[in-house]
Amino acid sequence: MDNIVLLSKREIAKTQTNKKRHCFDIIFEWEDILSEGVGARIKCRSRREFGFDELCRKIKKCTNITFYELFRVVDFQRGKHIIMFDASTKHYDGIYNHKKYIPCLIDYFFSEEEYKDFLIAYSKNKLVLVSNLDVYEYLKEKKCPIPIEHFPLSIPDHYISEVKYKKEYDLIIAGRVNPLLEKWVEKAENEIPELVVIRRKYEDGKFIYYNSRNGEVVSEGNSREEYFSMLKRSKMAIYSTPGMDGTRKDANGWNQVTPRILEQMAAQCHILARYPMNSDVKWYGLDSIIDNINSYDEFKGKVKKYMEGEVDYIKYNKFLNTHKTSNRVEILRNILNKYGYL
């Protein structure tokens, strides 16, 4: 029996739509590096197991019956301690609410009223890892009875390159967009005729990257490699933390630093960013390398400057080397040692 297992969703993701599957790619890259670093074996959740967990949560929500206890009959053969990434914090009890599971919460967007849901959904876990330092401090302040540790997100090592990338386009917009930044981009497009903006849309099971001025398609694909390739070919990218300016309506004011900005740095993009100053931002030192833009005039000035100026990717790399996934291995090992798992 394995002492430490890393439970992955990668087999389930293969059957999901390309649009949804794309979100999990970086998680699988983290898993590969972390599993090797802590000596854990990767095991994959099956679609049947995933569906059973969803069913159990619905039953528990409606009837308060812990139907998921049936899972213990077959679960004994899996590792003694099982690490698993939770892309979204669970609201209801399920099969992974058990002492052997160590969930790592990527997004915690609960409101104050939903805190009680968190206590129920993770009540039996002997350790929960949270990626957002603000969430960690919030839970500590509330004297959360569940043992929690801060485990920050990262950039997989192989994205950091000493090779200077050749740029073809001025600005790329891919993924969820801050509405204020979107408004500023549209205004800048009208005022700077030579500005070339690449946007992304999802059609017919694939992402399409196109020039927003003339609609010309510049690339098509559904892979993470294609996404990163387009970043590398762009001079600028826009970025916002989830709760800033209503970027994510379900964020409930939480503004953690997400891997997207690390990806944009690794792709050697100038970054036009909106974020608040908080504990998570300070922990990363984000304000030391990326400015928070407070007005359209400031935004327009940076766009014009960045259209001509080269990015200091050496400075970026120095920053990224402190936040690469292999450096998170030591943090994880220290946590696991603290709780006697290694």
Side-chain angles (χ1 to χ4, degrees):
M1 183 187 297
D2 300 298
N3 187 45
I4 300 284
V5 165
L6 205 156
L7 191 61
S8 178
K9 195 179 178 182
R10 60 188 67 193
E11 288 299 319
I12 297 172
K14 290 180 180 179
T15 63
Q16 293 178 321
T17 63
N18 291 326
K19 186 175 183 180
K20 190 170 183 178
R21 184 174 64 198
H22 188 69
C23 302
F24 292 97
D25 288 342
I26 193 171
I27 297 178
F28 306 148
E29 293 171 340
W30 292 335
E31 291 173 348
D32 290 338
I33 297 171
L34 294 172
S35 62
E36 183 177 352
V38 301
R41 188 151 69 92
I42 294 176
K43 291 188 177 181
C44 296
R45 297 166 65 183
S46 67
R47 173 152 291 282
R48 181 178 297 179
E49 176 183 329
F50 179 76
F52 183 68
D53 181 48
E54 293 295 303
L55 175 63
C56 289
R57 292 181 190 279
K58 291 177 182 178
I59 292 174
K60 182 67 163 59
K61 177 185 176 182
C62 299
T63 68
N64 208 34
I65 297 173
T66 56
F67 191 64
Y68 57 82
E69 293 293 345
L70 291 174
F71 186 70
R72 307 286 172 250
V73 177
V74 296
D75 191 41
F76 72 93
Q77 60 188 347
R78 201 140 54 181
K80 290 175 61 179
H81 309 296
I82 303 172
I83 302 169
M84 58 183 295
F85 281 98
D86 261 354
S88 299
T89 302
K90 300 291 190 295
H91 280 82
Y92 307 108
D93 207 354
I95 66 177
Y96 305 115
N97 183 18
H98 186 267
K99 63 182 180 180
K100 71 191 296 183
Y101 289 95
I102 306 169
C104 179
L105 309 184
I106 297 175
D107 292 339
Y108 179 105
F109 293 145
F110 280 15
S111 65
E112 183 69 29
E113 293 72 26
E114 291 172 313
Y115 169 67
K116 64 181 185 301
D117 296 338
F118 169 76
L119 294 181
I120 295 171
Y122 297 90
S123 59
K124 298 181 181 68
N125 296 120
K126 297 301 182 184
L127 172 62
V128 174
L129 308 180
V130 294
S131 64
N132 184 351
L133 184 57
D134 285 294
V135 170
Y136 174 79
E137 292 177 346
Y138 163 81
L139 295 174
K140 284 294 187 183
E141 188 175 315
K142 292 186 76 70
K143 295 181 170 47
C144 173
I146 302 167
I148 57 171
E149 295 288 342
H150 177 226
F151 184 62
L153 304 179
S154 59
I155 180 78
D157 299 42
H158 64 273
Y159 289 107
I160 306 172
S161 173
E162 300 297 330
V163 177
K164 182 180 177 181
Y165 298 136
K166 181 180 178 181
K167 302 296 182 175
E168 301 176 46
Y169 312 111
D170 292 322
L171 172 63
I172 186 169
I173 301 176
R176 185 179 286 107
V177 183
N178 177 300
L180 182 58
L181 286 174
E182 172 74 3
K183 181 180 177 181
W184 287 352
V185 169
E186 292 174 355
K187 189 173 181 181
E189 281 185 283
N190 292 328
E191 296 182 2
I192 309 174
E194 62 273 25
L195 177 64
V196 176
V197 179
I198 302 300
R199 298 176 186 270
R200 186 177 77 175
K201 58 184 177 180
Y202 188 73
E203 289 184 356
D204 300 324
K206 60 187 174 183
F207 289 107
I208 297 174
Y209 299 84
Y210 64 98
N211 185 325
S212 64
R213 284 201 184 278
N214 57 26
E216 178 190 1
V217 174
V218 298
S219 181
E220 295 182 8
N222 54 32
S223 68
R224 181 162 171 77
E225 289 75 20
E226 182 63 22
Y227 159 72
F228 195 70
S229 173
M230 289 304 302
L231 282 182
K232 290 193 295 183
R233 293 158 65 186
S234 305
K235 296 176 184 176
M236 292 174 276
I238 62 173
Y239 173 79
S240 174
T241 48
M244 193 72 176
D245 306 319
T247 300
R248 275 193 67 151
K249 298 187 184 304
D250 64 344
N252 285 307
W254 293 109
N255 280 287
Q256 74 182 94
V257 176
T258 61
R260 175 165 293 173
I261 197 166
L262 303 180
E263 294 168 346
Q264 292 170 346
M265 287 187 205
Q268 302 170 12
C269 299
H270 290 291
I271 301 171
L272 304 160
R274 292 274 296 161
Y275 60 84
M277 186 55 65
N278 60 28
S279 294
D280 206 53
V281 166
K282 291 177 182 177
W283 189 90
Y284 278 90
L286 186 62
D287 58 315
S288 70
I289 195 166
I290 302 294
D291 293 333
N292 174 49
I293 302 177
N294 292 301
S295 70
Y296 171 70
D297 288 340
E298 184 183 358
F299 178 86
K300 181 181 177 182
K302 285 186 179 296
V303 168
K304 296 177 76 172
K305 176 183 176 182
Y306 293 161
M307 285 175 68
E308 303 300 329
E310 294 187 352
V311 73
D312 186 352
Y313 73 95
I314 302 299
K315 182 179 179 181
Y316 275 175
N317 283 356
K318 184 178 179 181
F319 179 89
L320 291 171
N321 277 320
T322 66
H323 297 298
K324 60 187 179 184
T325 307
S326 62
N327 283 350
R328 298 295 192 253
V329 169
E330 183 179 359
I331 295 176
L332 183 57
R333 288 189 68 87
N334 288 338
I335 292 172
L336 296 176
N337 273 316
K338 178 180 176 180
Y339 287 81
Y341 294 149
L342 288 180

